[in-house]
Amino acid sequence: MIELIRAAFGAIKGTLVAALIAILVLSNVLAIVSSSFHDLLYGMFSSLPFPELLTDSPRQKQKELRDENEKLKAKNRTLQARRAANAKASRRVAQRVARRTAANLSYNVASIPGEVVPLYGTALILAVTAADVAAGCATVKDVQELARLSGAEDLSLDQNLVCGIEIPTIDQVRESFGDRYFGE
């Protein structure tokens, strides 16, 4: 009788082991191919007091990727808004430079006839040159602003090289060349 019980128990044990192996293989396959089955298993294991079991799970990685994606989207929105604002500001600066350059060229061309008149021409040359220096100084400042808008903070531009230029007075020019050039 004991032999019969042992034989029955051995048969049941073998059947149980075979069934468990079949269930484990089936559950592994289902966890891989079925996201809903995977989510079911994930839910069961997430209630266990061993969170380290789930650190490398695909669902945890998806959550981390989703969180990172949201952060990147928010950062992208901020950068896009900043880029749009910088582009708008850059357009304004470029328009100022273009208008200033056109005005300077007009002053220079318009002053040509007057520059040949003695004394009056010298004063006109000095006035147009002073306007050129002022425009050049404003252009250097605008270039620095464009650089700042594009993220190149330090251009190492010395504004004083342009903005610090001093235009001589008519008297200083007369002293340099003498009265014979001024037709008096």
Side-chain angles (χ1 to χ4, degrees):
M1 173 86 158
I2 292 183
E3 289 297 321
L4 187 62
I5 293 175
R6 278 189 192 172
F9 183 70
I12 292 172
K13 181 179 169 186
T15 305
L16 283 176
V17 168
L20 283 175
I21 290 174
I23 290 171
L24 287 173
V25 168
L26 181 64
S27 69
N28 282 340
V29 170
L30 285 174
I32 292 171
V33 298
S34 172
S35 62
S36 58
F37 187 77
H38 177 270
D39 290 344
L40 174 74
L41 289 177
Y42 183 86
M44 287 177 12
F45 284 112
S46 64
S47 62
L48 293 176
F50 306 109
E52 64 274 357
L53 288 176
L54 303 174
T55 56
D56 289 334
S57 76
R59 189 163 193 195
Q60 182 66 26
K61 288 180 181 179
Q62 284 176 346
K63 182 186 178 308
E64 290 170 3
L65 285 174
R66 253 192 319 273
D67 292 346
E68 182 67 20
N69 190 32
E70 289 304 316
K71 287 178 190 174
L72 289 173
K73 283 180 181 179
K75 186 175 182 178
N76 187 40
R77 282 190 295 272
T78 301
L79 290 174
Q80 290 294 336
R82 186 179 304 151
R83 187 189 70 69
N86 285 349
K88 187 176 180 181
S90 295
R91 277 192 299 278
R92 283 194 309 266
V93 171
Q95 288 170 342
R96 281 196 316 253
V97 170
R99 280 193 302 271
R100 187 172 39 251
T101 300
N104 252 13
L105 290 173
S106 296
Y107 300 148
N108 280 312
V109 171
S111 71
I112 291 172
E115 290 176 0
V116 297
V117 178
L119 194 59
Y120 172 75
T122 304
L124 190 57
I125 290 170
L126 293 175
V128 169
T129 303
D132 281 344
V133 169
C137 180
T139 299
V140 167
K141 289 177 182 177
D142 283 343
V143 167
Q144 285 179 324
E145 184 178 349
L146 283 172
R148 182 188 58 76
L149 289 169
S150 69
E153 295 292 329
D154 182 22
L155 282 183
S156 301
L157 294 176
D158 188 4
Q159 287 183 11
N160 292 330
L161 291 176
V162 177
C163 300
I165 294 175
E166 291 188 27
I167 307 300
T169 64
I170 286 184
D171 292 335
Q172 290 170 330
V173 172
R174 286 180 85 172
E175 286 177 22
S176 296
F177 290 100
D179 287 335
R180 66 175 183 237
Y181 291 106
F182 289 96
E184 293 186 335

Short mmCIF file of all heavy atoms in Angstrom, two decimals, residues 29-89:
data_model
loop_
_atom_site.label_atom_id
_atom_site.label_comp_id
_atom_site.label_asym_id
_atom_site.label_seq_id
_atom_site.Cartn_x
_atom_site.Cartn_y
_atom_site.Cartn_z
N VAL A 29 6.45 33.55 -22.28
CA VAL A 29 6.10 33.89 -23.66
C VAL A 29 5.03 34.97 -23.68
O VAL A 29 5.12 35.96 -24.41
CB VAL A 29 5.66 32.64 -24.45
CG1 VAL A 29 5.06 33.01 -25.79
CG2 VAL A 29 6.84 31.68 -24.62
N LEU A 30 4.00 34.81 -22.85
CA LEU A 30 2.93 35.81 -22.80
C LEU A 30 3.43 37.16 -22.30
O LEU A 30 2.99 38.21 -22.78
CB LEU A 30 1.77 35.31 -21.91
CG LEU A 30 0.88 34.25 -22.52
CD1 LEU A 30 -0.14 33.75 -21.49
CD2 LEU A 30 0.15 34.80 -23.74
N ALA A 31 4.35 37.17 -21.34
CA ALA A 31 4.91 38.43 -20.83
C ALA A 31 5.67 39.18 -21.92
O ALA A 31 5.70 40.41 -21.94
CB ALA A 31 5.81 38.17 -19.63
N ILE A 32 6.26 38.42 -22.83
CA ILE A 32 7.03 39.04 -23.91
C ILE A 32 6.13 39.53 -25.04
O ILE A 32 6.29 40.64 -25.54
CB ILE A 32 8.09 38.06 -24.45
CG1 ILE A 32 9.16 37.81 -23.38
CG2 ILE A 32 8.73 38.58 -25.73
CD1 ILE A 32 10.13 36.70 -23.72
N VAL A 33 5.13 38.74 -25.41
CA VAL A 33 4.32 39.07 -26.59
C VAL A 33 3.03 39.81 -26.26
O VAL A 33 2.44 40.42 -27.15
CB VAL A 33 4.00 37.83 -27.43
CG1 VAL A 33 5.26 37.19 -27.96
CG2 VAL A 33 3.17 36.82 -26.65
N SER A 34 2.59 39.81 -25.03
CA SER A 34 1.32 40.45 -24.67
C SER A 34 1.56 41.55 -23.64
O SER A 34 1.94 41.27 -22.50
CB SER A 34 0.34 39.42 -24.12
OG SER A 34 -0.80 40.06 -23.60
N SER A 35 1.34 42.79 -24.05
CA SER A 35 1.56 43.89 -23.12
C SER A 35 0.55 43.87 -21.98
O SER A 35 0.88 44.25 -20.85
CB SER A 35 1.52 45.23 -23.85
OG SER A 35 0.24 45.43 -24.42
N SER A 36 -0.66 43.43 -22.23
CA SER A 36 -1.66 43.39 -21.15
C SER A 36 -1.28 42.33 -20.11
O SER A 36 -1.46 42.54 -18.92
CB SER A 36 -3.06 43.15 -21.70
OG SER A 36 -3.11 41.94 -22.42
N PHE A 37 -0.74 41.17 -20.58
CA PHE A 37 -0.30 40.14 -19.62
C PHE A 37 0.91 40.65 -18.84
O PHE A 37 1.02 40.45 -17.63
CB PHE A 37 0.03 38.83 -20.34
CG PHE A 37 0.33 37.70 -19.40
CD1 PHE A 37 -0.70 37.05 -18.74
CD2 PHE A 37 1.63 37.30 -19.17
CE1 PHE A 37 -0.45 36.01 -17.86
CE2 PHE A 37 1.90 36.26 -18.29
CZ PHE A 37 0.86 35.61 -17.63
N HIS A 38 1.80 41.35 -19.52
CA HIS A 38 2.97 41.93 -18.85
C HIS A 38 2.52 42.92 -17.79
O HIS A 38 3.04 42.94 -16.68
CB HIS A 38 3.90 42.61 -19.87
CG HIS A 38 5.07 43.27 -19.22
ND1 HIS A 38 5.03 44.58 -18.80
CD2 HIS A 38 6.29 42.80 -18.90
CE1 HIS A 38 6.18 44.89 -18.25
NE2 HIS A 38 6.98 43.83 -18.31
N ASP A 39 1.54 43.77 -18.14
CA ASP A 39 1.03 44.75 -17.18
C ASP A 39 0.39 44.05 -15.98
O ASP A 39 0.50 44.52 -14.84
CB ASP A 39 0.02 45.68 -17.85
CG ASP A 39 0.69 46.62 -18.84
OD1 ASP A 39 1.93 46.76 -18.80
OD2 ASP A 39 -0.03 47.21 -19.67
N LEU A 40 -0.29 42.94 -16.23
CA LEU A 40 -0.89 42.18 -15.14
C LEU A 40 0.21 41.67 -14.19
O LEU A 40 0.11 41.82 -12.97
CB LEU A 40 -1.71 41.00 -15.69
CG LEU A 40 -2.26 40.03 -14.65
CD1 LEU A 40 -3.43 40.67 -13.90
CD2 LEU A 40 -2.69 38.74 -15.32
N LEU A 41 1.26 41.08 -14.77
CA LEU A 41 2.37 40.59 -13.94
C LEU A 41 3.07 41.75 -13.22
O LEU A 41 3.42 41.63 -12.05
CB LEU A 41 3.39 39.84 -14.81
CG LEU A 41 2.96 38.47 -15.34
CD1 LEU A 41 4.06 37.88 -16.23
CD2 LEU A 41 2.64 37.52 -14.20
N TYR A 42 3.24 42.86 -13.92
CA TYR A 42 3.89 44.02 -13.32
C TYR A 42 3.07 44.51 -12.12
O TYR A 42 3.62 44.82 -11.07
CB TYR A 42 4.03 45.15 -14.35
CG TYR A 42 4.75 46.35 -13.82
CD1 TYR A 42 6.14 46.42 -13.84
CD2 TYR A 42 4.06 47.43 -13.26
CE1 TYR A 42 6.81 47.53 -13.35
CE2 TYR A 42 4.71 48.53 -12.77
CZ TYR A 42 6.10 48.58 -12.81
OH TYR A 42 6.76 49.67 -12.32
N GLY A 43 1.76 44.56 -12.28
CA GLY A 43 0.88 44.98 -11.18
C GLY A 43 0.99 44.05 -9.98
O GLY A 43 0.99 44.50 -8.83
N MET A 44 1.09 42.75 -10.26
CA MET A 44 1.21 41.79 -9.16
C MET A 44 2.54 41.98 -8.43
O MET A 44 2.58 41.99 -7.20
CB MET A 44 1.10 40.35 -9.69
CG MET A 44 -0.30 39.97 -10.10
SD MET A 44 -0.54 38.31 -10.83
CE MET A 44 0.92 37.41 -10.58
N PHE A 45 3.62 42.15 -9.18
CA PHE A 45 4.94 42.28 -8.55
C PHE A 45 5.15 43.66 -7.93
O PHE A 45 5.94 43.79 -6.99
CB PHE A 45 6.06 41.99 -9.55
CG PHE A 45 6.24 40.52 -9.83
CD1 PHE A 45 5.94 39.99 -11.07
CD2 PHE A 45 6.69 39.66 -8.83
CE1 PHE A 45 6.09 38.64 -11.31
CE2 PHE A 45 6.86 38.31 -9.08
CZ PHE A 45 6.55 37.79 -10.33
N SER A 46 4.45 44.67 -8.42
CA SER A 46 4.65 46.01 -7.85
C SER A 46 4.06 46.11 -6.45
O SER A 46 4.42 47.00 -5.69
CB SER A 46 4.03 47.08 -8.75
OG SER A 46 2.63 46.91 -8.82
N SER A 47 3.16 45.19 -6.08
CA SER A 47 2.60 45.21 -4.73
C SER A 47 3.51 44.51 -3.72
O SER A 47 3.27 44.59 -2.52
CB SER A 47 1.20 44.58 -4.72
OG SER A 47 1.29 43.23 -5.12
N LEU A 48 4.55 43.84 -4.22
CA LEU A 48 5.50 43.18 -3.32
C LEU A 48 6.41 44.22 -2.68
O LEU A 48 6.69 45.27 -3.27
CB LEU A 48 6.34 42.17 -4.09
CG LEU A 48 5.60 40.95 -4.65
CD1 LEU A 48 6.56 40.09 -5.47
CD2 LEU A 48 5.00 40.13 -3.53
N PRO A 49 6.91 43.96 -1.49
CA PRO A 49 7.77 44.94 -0.81
C PRO A 49 9.23 44.90 -1.30
O PRO A 49 10.14 45.21 -0.55
CB PRO A 49 7.66 44.53 0.66
CG PRO A 49 7.41 43.07 0.63
CD PRO A 49 6.58 42.83 -0.61
N PHE A 50 9.44 44.54 -2.54
CA PHE A 50 10.79 44.47 -3.10
C PHE A 50 10.86 45.33 -4.36
O PHE A 50 10.81 44.81 -5.48
CB PHE A 50 11.16 43.02 -3.44
CG PHE A 50 11.02 42.06 -2.29
CD1 PHE A 50 10.00 41.11 -2.29
CD2 PHE A 50 11.88 42.12 -1.22
CE1 PHE A 50 9.86 40.24 -1.24
CE2 PHE A 50 11.74 41.24 -0.16
CZ PHE A 50 10.72 40.29 -0.16
N PRO A 51 10.97 46.66 -4.23
CA PRO A 51 10.94 47.53 -5.41
C PRO A 51 12.13 47.30 -6.35
O PRO A 51 12.02 47.57 -7.54
CB PRO A 51 10.98 48.94 -4.82
CG PRO A 51 11.50 48.80 -3.44
CD PRO A 51 11.14 47.41 -2.99
N GLU A 52 13.21 46.77 -5.83
CA GLU A 52 14.37 46.53 -6.70
C GLU A 52 14.10 45.46 -7.75
O GLU A 52 14.81 45.36 -8.75
CB GLU A 52 15.62 46.19 -5.89
CG GLU A 52 15.56 44.91 -5.08
CD GLU A 52 14.94 45.10 -3.69
OE1 GLU A 52 14.60 46.22 -3.31
OE2 GLU A 52 14.80 44.09 -3.00
N LEU A 53 13.04 44.66 -7.55
CA LEU A 53 12.68 43.67 -8.55
C LEU A 53 12.22 44.33 -9.85
O LEU A 53 12.35 43.74 -10.92
CB LEU A 53 11.54 42.78 -8.03
CG LEU A 53 11.87 41.77 -6.94
CD1 LEU A 53 10.61 41.05 -6.49
CD2 LEU A 53 12.91 40.77 -7.43
N LEU A 54 11.69 45.54 -9.75
CA LEU A 54 11.09 46.19 -10.91
C LEU A 54 11.97 47.28 -11.52
O LEU A 54 11.56 47.92 -12.48
CB LEU A 54 9.74 46.79 -10.51
CG LEU A 54 8.74 45.79 -9.93
CD1 LEU A 54 7.50 46.50 -9.44
CD2 LEU A 54 8.39 44.74 -10.96
N THR A 55 13.17 47.50 -11.01
CA THR A 55 13.99 48.61 -11.50
C THR A 55 14.39 48.45 -12.95
O THR A 55 14.55 49.43 -13.66
CB THR A 55 15.26 48.78 -10.64
OG1 THR A 55 15.98 47.55 -10.63
CG2 THR A 55 14.92 49.22 -9.24
N ASP A 56 14.56 47.24 -13.42
CA ASP A 56 14.97 47.02 -14.81
C ASP A 56 13.81 46.56 -15.68
O ASP A 56 14.04 46.12 -16.81
CB ASP A 56 16.10 45.97 -14.87
CG ASP A 56 17.40 46.53 -14.33
OD1 ASP A 56 17.58 47.76 -14.39
OD2 ASP A 56 18.22 45.73 -13.86
N SER A 57 12.61 46.70 -15.20
CA SER A 57 11.48 46.21 -16.00
C SER A 57 11.21 47.16 -17.16
O SER A 57 11.47 48.37 -17.07
CB SER A 57 10.23 46.07 -15.13
OG SER A 57 9.67 47.34 -14.90
N PRO A 58 10.69 46.64 -18.25
CA PRO A 58 10.35 47.50 -19.39
C PRO A 58 9.36 48.60 -19.02
O PRO A 58 9.46 49.71 -19.51
CB PRO A 58 9.75 46.52 -20.41
CG PRO A 58 10.31 45.20 -20.05
CD PRO A 58 10.49 45.22 -18.57
N ARG A 59 8.43 48.29 -18.16
CA ARG A 59 7.43 49.30 -17.78
C ARG A 59 8.09 50.44 -17.02
O ARG A 59 7.77 51.61 -17.24
CB ARG A 59 6.35 48.65 -16.93
CG ARG A 59 5.19 49.58 -16.70
CD ARG A 59 4.00 48.82 -16.24
NE ARG A 59 2.83 49.66 -16.32
CZ ARG A 59 1.71 49.37 -15.74
NH1 ARG A 59 1.59 48.25 -15.08
NH2 ARG A 59 0.69 50.17 -15.84
N GLN A 60 9.02 50.12 -16.11
CA GLN A 60 9.74 51.15 -15.37
C GLN A 60 10.57 52.00 -16.32
O GLN A 60 10.61 53.22 -16.21
CB GLN A 60 10.64 50.51 -14.29
CG GLN A 60 11.38 51.51 -13.44
CD GLN A 60 10.46 52.35 -12.58
OE1 GLN A 60 9.36 51.94 -12.23
NE2 GLN A 60 10.90 53.55 -12.26
N LYS A 61 11.20 51.34 -17.26
CA LYS A 61 12.00 52.08 -18.24
C LYS A 61 11.11 52.98 -19.11
O LYS A 61 11.47 54.11 -19.43
CB LYS A 61 12.81 51.12 -19.10
CG LYS A 61 13.95 50.48 -18.33
CD LYS A 61 14.74 49.52 -19.17
CE LYS A 61 15.84 48.89 -18.35
NZ LYS A 61 16.62 47.93 -19.10
N GLN A 62 9.94 52.48 -19.47
CA GLN A 62 8.99 53.30 -20.24
C GLN A 62 8.56 54.52 -19.44
O GLN A 62 8.47 55.62 -19.97
CB GLN A 62 7.76 52.48 -20.63
CG GLN A 62 7.98 51.52 -21.76
CD GLN A 62 6.74 50.69 -22.03
OE1 GLN A 62 5.81 50.65 -21.23
NE2 GLN A 62 6.74 50.01 -23.18
N LYS A 63 8.31 54.33 -18.16
CA LYS A 63 7.92 55.46 -17.31
C LYS A 63 9.04 56.48 -17.24
O LYS A 63 8.81 57.69 -17.36
CB LYS A 63 7.56 54.96 -15.90
CG LYS A 63 7.10 56.07 -14.96
CD LYS A 63 6.89 55.54 -13.56
CE LYS A 63 6.47 56.61 -12.59
NZ LYS A 63 7.29 57.79 -12.55
N GLU A 64 10.27 56.01 -17.05
CA GLU A 64 11.41 56.92 -17.00
C GLU A 64 11.57 57.66 -18.33
O GLU A 64 11.84 58.86 -18.36
CB GLU A 64 12.69 56.15 -16.66
CG GLU A 64 12.73 55.64 -15.23
CD GLU A 64 13.87 54.66 -14.98
OE1 GLU A 64 14.69 54.42 -15.90
OE2 GLU A 64 13.94 54.14 -13.86
N LEU A 65 11.39 56.92 -19.44
CA LEU A 65 11.48 57.56 -20.76
C LEU A 65 10.37 58.58 -20.96
O LEU A 65 10.60 59.66 -21.51
CB LEU A 65 11.41 56.49 -21.86
CG LEU A 65 12.67 55.67 -22.07
CD1 LEU A 65 12.42 54.56 -23.09
CD2 LEU A 65 13.82 56.55 -22.52
N ARG A 66 9.16 58.26 -20.49
CA ARG A 66 8.04 59.22 -20.59
C ARG A 66 8.34 60.48 -19.80
O ARG A 66 8.14 61.60 -20.28
CB ARG A 66 6.76 58.57 -20.08
CG ARG A 66 5.78 58.20 -21.18
CD ARG A 66 4.40 57.83 -20.64
NE ARG A 66 4.39 57.00 -19.44
CZ ARG A 66 4.45 55.67 -19.44
NH1 ARG A 66 4.52 55.02 -20.58
NH2 ARG A 66 4.42 55.01 -18.31
N ASP A 67 8.85 60.29 -18.57
CA ASP A 67 9.18 61.44 -17.72
C ASP A 67 10.27 62.30 -18.37
O ASP A 67 10.17 63.53 -18.41
CB ASP A 67 9.63 60.98 -16.34
CG ASP A 67 8.51 60.34 -15.53
OD1 ASP A 67 7.33 60.49 -15.93
OD2 ASP A 67 8.82 59.69 -14.52
N GLU A 68 11.30 61.64 -18.87
CA GLU A 68 12.40 62.36 -19.53
C GLU A 68 11.89 63.06 -20.78
O GLU A 68 12.27 64.19 -21.08
CB GLU A 68 13.52 61.38 -19.89
CG GLU A 68 14.72 62.03 -20.53
CD GLU A 68 15.49 62.94 -19.60
OE1 GLU A 68 15.36 62.83 -18.37
OE2 GLU A 68 16.24 63.79 -20.12
N ASN A 69 11.00 62.40 -21.52
CA ASN A 69 10.43 62.99 -22.73
C ASN A 69 9.64 64.26 -22.39
O ASN A 69 9.73 65.26 -23.10
CB ASN A 69 9.53 61.98 -23.43
CG ASN A 69 9.11 62.44 -24.80
OD1 ASN A 69 9.84 63.15 -25.48
ND2 ASN A 69 7.93 62.04 -25.21
N GLU A 70 8.88 64.23 -21.31
CA GLU A 70 8.11 65.41 -20.89
C GLU A 70 9.04 66.56 -20.51
O GLU A 70 8.79 67.71 -20.86
CB GLU A 70 7.17 65.08 -19.73
CG GLU A 70 5.99 64.22 -20.13
CD GLU A 70 5.17 64.82 -21.26
OE1 GLU A 70 4.88 66.03 -21.22
OE2 GLU A 70 4.82 64.08 -22.20
N LYS A 71 10.13 66.23 -19.81
CA LYS A 71 11.11 67.27 -19.45
C LYS A 71 11.73 67.87 -20.70
O LYS A 71 11.89 69.08 -20.80
CB LYS A 71 12.22 66.68 -18.56
CG LYS A 71 11.78 66.36 -17.16
CD LYS A 71 12.94 65.74 -16.39
CE LYS A 71 12.50 65.20 -15.06
NZ LYS A 71 13.57 64.48 -14.37
N LEU A 72 12.08 67.01 -21.65
CA LEU A 72 12.69 67.49 -22.89
C LEU A 72 11.71 68.33 -23.71
O LEU A 72 12.09 69.34 -24.31
CB LEU A 72 13.21 66.32 -23.72
CG LEU A 72 14.44 65.62 -23.15
CD1 LEU A 72 14.76 64.37 -23.97
CD2 LEU A 72 15.64 66.55 -23.11
N LYS A 73 10.44 67.93 -23.72
CA LYS A 73 9.43 68.72 -24.43
C LYS A 73 9.28 70.10 -23.81
O LYS A 73 9.20 71.11 -24.51
CB LYS A 73 8.08 68.00 -24.43
CG LYS A 73 7.98 66.86 -25.41
CD LYS A 73 6.60 66.21 -25.32
CE LYS A 73 6.45 65.06 -26.27
NZ LYS A 73 5.12 64.43 -26.15
N ALA A 74 9.27 70.15 -22.47
CA ALA A 74 9.15 71.45 -21.79
C ALA A 74 10.37 72.31 -22.08
O ALA A 74 10.24 73.52 -22.35
CB ALA A 74 8.99 71.23 -20.29
N LYS A 75 11.54 71.70 -22.04
CA LYS A 75 12.77 72.45 -22.33
C LYS A 75 12.76 72.92 -23.78
O LYS A 75 13.17 74.05 -24.08
CB LYS A 75 13.98 71.56 -22.06
CG LYS A 75 15.30 72.29 -22.20
CD LYS A 75 16.45 71.39 -21.80
CE LYS A 75 17.76 72.15 -21.89
NZ LYS A 75 18.89 71.33 -21.47
N ASN A 76 12.28 72.08 -24.67
CA ASN A 76 12.21 72.44 -26.08
C ASN A 76 11.27 73.62 -26.29
O ASN A 76 11.56 74.53 -27.06
CB ASN A 76 11.77 71.24 -26.93
CG ASN A 76 11.85 71.53 -28.40
OD1 ASN A 76 12.77 72.16 -28.88
ND2 ASN A 76 10.85 71.08 -29.14
N ARG A 77 10.13 73.61 -25.60
CA ARG A 77 9.20 74.75 -25.72
C ARG A 77 9.86 76.03 -25.25
O ARG A 77 9.73 77.08 -25.88
CB ARG A 77 7.93 74.46 -24.91
CG ARG A 77 6.96 73.51 -25.59
CD ARG A 77 5.62 73.45 -24.86
NE ARG A 77 5.72 72.89 -23.52
CZ ARG A 77 5.63 71.59 -23.24
NH1 ARG A 77 5.45 70.71 -24.21
NH2 ARG A 77 5.72 71.17 -22.01
N THR A 78 10.59 75.94 -24.14
CA THR A 78 11.30 77.12 -23.62
C THR A 78 12.34 77.60 -24.61
O THR A 78 12.44 78.81 -24.90
CB THR A 78 11.98 76.77 -22.28
OG1 THR A 78 10.98 76.33 -21.36
CG2 THR A 78 12.72 77.96 -21.71
N LEU A 79 13.11 76.66 -25.16
CA LEU A 79 14.15 77.04 -26.12
C LEU A 79 13.55 77.61 -27.40
O LEU A 79 14.09 78.56 -27.98
CB LEU A 79 15.04 75.83 -26.44
CG LEU A 79 15.95 75.37 -25.31
CD1 LEU A 79 16.67 74.07 -25.70
CD2 LEU A 79 16.95 76.45 -24.95
N GLN A 80 12.43 77.04 -27.85
CA GLN A 80 11.77 77.56 -29.05
C GLN A 80 11.28 78.98 -28.82
O GLN A 80 11.41 79.84 -29.69
CB GLN A 80 10.60 76.65 -29.46
CG GLN A 80 11.01 75.30 -30.00
CD GLN A 80 11.75 75.41 -31.32
OE1 GLN A 80 11.62 76.36 -32.06
NE2 GLN A 80 12.57 74.42 -31.60
N ALA A 81 10.71 79.23 -27.65
CA ALA A 81 10.22 80.57 -27.33
C ALA A 81 11.39 81.55 -27.26
O ALA A 81 11.31 82.67 -27.79
CB ALA A 81 9.47 80.56 -26.00
N ARG A 82 12.49 81.12 -26.64
CA ARG A 82 13.67 81.99 -26.55
C ARG A 82 14.26 82.24 -27.94
O ARG A 82 14.65 83.36 -28.27
CB ARG A 82 14.72 81.35 -25.65
CG ARG A 82 15.91 82.27 -25.38
CD ARG A 82 16.94 81.65 -24.47
NE ARG A 82 16.35 81.25 -23.22
CZ ARG A 82 16.80 80.25 -22.49
NH1 ARG A 82 17.82 79.53 -22.89
NH2 ARG A 82 16.22 79.94 -21.36
N ARG A 83 14.29 81.19 -28.77
CA ARG A 83 14.82 81.35 -30.12
C ARG A 83 13.97 82.32 -30.93
O ARG A 83 14.48 83.18 -31.65
CB ARG A 83 14.89 79.99 -30.83
CG ARG A 83 15.60 80.07 -32.19
CD ARG A 83 15.49 78.78 -32.97
NE ARG A 83 14.18 78.48 -33.48
CZ ARG A 83 13.55 79.14 -34.45
NH1 ARG A 83 14.08 80.19 -34.99
NH2 ARG A 83 12.36 78.77 -34.86
N ALA A 84 12.65 82.20 -30.78
CA ALA A 84 11.75 83.11 -31.51
C ALA A 84 11.95 84.55 -31.04
O ALA A 84 12.00 85.47 -31.87
CB ALA A 84 10.30 82.68 -31.32
N ALA A 85 12.08 84.74 -29.73
CA ALA A 85 12.31 86.09 -29.21
C ALA A 85 13.65 86.63 -29.68
O ALA A 85 13.76 87.81 -30.07
CB ALA A 85 12.26 86.07 -27.68
N ASN A 86 14.67 85.78 -29.68
CA ASN A 86 16.00 86.22 -30.15
C ASN A 86 15.98 86.52 -31.65
O ASN A 86 16.63 87.47 -32.10
CB ASN A 86 17.06 85.17 -29.84
CG ASN A 86 17.43 85.16 -28.37
OD1 ASN A 86 17.06 86.04 -27.61
ND2 ASN A 86 18.15 84.14 -27.96
N ALA A 87 15.24 85.73 -32.41
CA ALA A 87 15.15 85.99 -33.85
C ALA A 87 14.47 87.33 -34.11
O ALA A 87 14.90 88.10 -34.97
CB ALA A 87 14.39 84.85 -34.54
N LYS A 88 13.42 87.60 -33.35
CA LYS A 88 12.71 88.88 -33.50
C LYS A 88 13.63 90.04 -33.13
O LYS A 88 13.70 91.04 -33.85
CB LYS A 88 11.46 88.87 -32.61
CG LYS A 88 10.56 90.05 -32.79
CD LYS A 88 9.31 89.90 -31.94
CE LYS A 88 8.38 91.09 -32.12
NZ LYS A 88 7.19 90.94 -31.28
N ALA A 89 14.35 89.90 -32.03
CA ALA A 89 15.27 90.95 -31.60
C ALA A 89 16.41 91.10 -32.61
O ALA A 89 16.83 92.22 -32.91
CB ALA A 89 15.82 90.63 -30.22
#
